Amino acid sequence: MMPEISLNILDVAQNSVKAKAARIEISVRVFTKEDRLVVEIRDNGSGMDETTLANVTDPFFTTRKTRKVGLGVSFFKLAAETTGGSFTIGSEPGTGTDVCATFVLSSFNRMPLGSMTDTMVSLITMNPDRDFCYRYEINGEGFTLDTAEMREILGEVPLNTPEVASYIRDFLDENTASTNLVLAGTEIII
Amino acid sequence: MKSLEELKAIREKMQSKVGLRSEDNSVTRVVVGMATCGIAAGARPVLKAFTEGVAEKKLDDVVVTQTGCIGLCKYEPIVEIMAPGHEKVTYIKVNPEKAAEIIDRHLVKGQIIAEYTINAMK
């Protein structure tokens, strides 16, 4: 198991990278009244056929050759379901894949979200040729980071330039902190 | 909230430097294993330590990249260093502290830290 939800997201988003997705959209949405934290990872990669899709949450199924287990998606599903939440995965060959994990926010079994900044910076700097769109919100209020927009401003300056990476880190940290202000005075820890 | 405005300034500053990167054959590659096994074992902070350390020390001929599972899951986080003209060095069970040491001793001074390599396990 992963000690943070953000590590599950990093791991599962790597599958989108491997599926040659040009654009990967990740959202973390918190709904305090409904007591839910919803993570969605959507890509426009190669997608999966029905057989692969049916097996993808089986830990003893993998497409890799280096080992006989495939734990990434299984871990993510388990992490959501042990909170009393749910997990769905939909895919279509040639169109992409959509993974959605719903966590019960107040569950004792829910791992902390952890650093989405570290996850997004790792994904963006390691895959500067792909576009990532990250949305974080609490009760509908939040922010979006879209590398497609950034790329337009940056021109030929690559997204993994240290100065850009450090800007992305600050952007995510500051905007996450501002978004989390709504929770000030509550007992809720994301 | 932080805006995208600052990016314009970064662009102006960096534009002159684009394309000045060293030739491929002089580049040292630092490859961090980022599959499920690596991530679960702590590869994300290791990757961060390398990317930030290399940027901080301005090691322009070092590139930090990622790879999937190489089948040695129990030794993760694994970091491979491939320098031109040298054999590949495989560091195992790396953490951010070891990463800082590897940057200082291996990447800057060219000394392999034998006790952190996979050969020390055999």
Side-chain angles (χ1 to χ4, degrees):
Chain A
M1 290 286 282
M2 299 286 181
E4 292 178 10
I5 295 171
S6 65
L7 291 172
N8 285 299
I9 297 174
L10 173 61
D11 188 20
V12 172
Q14 305 277 3
N15 295 340
S16 303
V17 172
K18 267 176 253 151
K20 300 192 167 55
R23 183 174 172 84
I24 300 152
E25 295 175 352
I26 298 171
S27 67
V28 175
R29 286 173 299 156
V30 176
F31 303 93
T32 55
K33 266 202 200 101
E34 293 80 2
D35 195 25
R36 291 290 184 274
L37 184 153
V38 183
V39 177
E40 193 174 8
I41 303 168
R42 210 156 62 178
D43 72 53
N44 62 356
S46 56
M48 289 173 279
D49 57 38
E50 268 173 55
T51 322
T52 310
L53 186 61
N55 284 307
V56 76
T57 57
D58 173 359
F60 297 103
F61 175 83
T62 180
T63 54
R64 75 174 70 247
K65 304 279 186 291
T66 50
R67 55 170 146 79
K68 290 189 176 118
V69 291
L71 297 175
V73 176
S74 321
F75 277 172
F76 196 26
K77 181 174 189 269
L78 191 64
E81 289 179 347
T82 52
T83 68
S86 59
F87 180 89
T88 58
I89 182 163
S91 188
E92 207 168 310
T95 307
T97 301
D98 189 345
V99 178
C100 187
T102 301
F103 295 80
V104 173
L105 194 58
S106 63
S107 167
F108 180 76
N109 288 327
R110 182 182 63 85
M111 300 291 180
L113 177 61
S115 177
M116 276 308 292
T117 297
D118 284 348
T119 282
M120 291 314 302
V121 171
S122 302
L123 285 170
I124 295 167
T125 55
M126 289 298 110
N127 308 286
D129 56 331
R130 317 299 176 91
D131 273 319
F132 290 89
C133 179
Y134 171 58
R135 171 83 191 156
Y136 178 61
E137 57 179 55
I138 299 175
N139 300 332
E141 297 288 326
F143 71 93
T144 304
L145 176 109
D146 191 337
T147 60
E149 271 174 41
M150 298 179 60
R151 211 182 285 281
E152 259 177 51
I153 300 171
L154 284 167
E156 65 269 44
V157 177
L159 287 163
N160 59 353
T161 311
E163 285 77 1
V164 178
S166 138
Y167 167 85
I168 296 174
R169 178 169 291 284
D170 293 346
F171 179 97
L172 292 167
D173 275 343
E174 285 179 26
N175 289 340
T176 303
S178 322
T179 305
N180 286 343
L181 282 179
V182 228
L183 298 176
T186 71
E187 306 255 290
I188 303 166
I189 296 164
I190 307 296
Chain B
M1 285 202 183
K2 207 175 172 69
S3 75
L4 291 170
E5 277 303 303
E6 284 168 56
L7 270 185
K8 285 184 189 152
I10 295 175
R11 181 194 178 165
E12 321 263 276
K13 194 177 132 209
M14 298 311 298
Q15 221 159 17
S16 54
K17 294 183 189 166
V18 171
L20 290 183
R21 209 169 234 311
S22 324
E23 293 289 313
D24 260 10
N25 56 16
S26 66
V27 160
T28 295
R29 308 186 81 81
V30 176
V31 184
V32 183
M34 292 292 287
T36 307
C37 46
I39 294 170
R44 191 180 67 182
V46 169
L47 179 73
K48 183 179 173 187
F50 274 106
T51 47
E52 294 190 345
V54 163
E56 201 177 297
K57 296 216 173 340
K58 305 213 184 314
L59 305 176
D60 290 335
D61 52 355
V62 177
V63 173
V64 183
T65 59
Q66 64 175 10
T67 187
C69 173
I70 57 169
L72 298 166
C73 309
K74 65 175 172 175
Y75 296 126
E76 295 282 355
I78 295 174
V79 175
E80 296 170 313
I81 299 194
M82 298 160 193
H86 293 270
E87 263 186 64
K88 176 174 81 182
V89 178
T90 305
Y91 288 109
I92 58 169
K93 298 190 176 177
V94 181
N95 56 34
E97 292 72 35
K98 284 185 184 174
E101 251 184 278
I102 293 167
I103 293 170
D104 281 342
R105 289 169 60 187
H106 190 148
L107 296 177
V108 175
K109 296 179 188 145
Q111 305 161 350
I112 294 167
I113 311 176
E115 63 267 36
Y116 295 165
T117 66
I118 193 155
N119 297 327
M121 276 290 142
K122 285 173 184 165

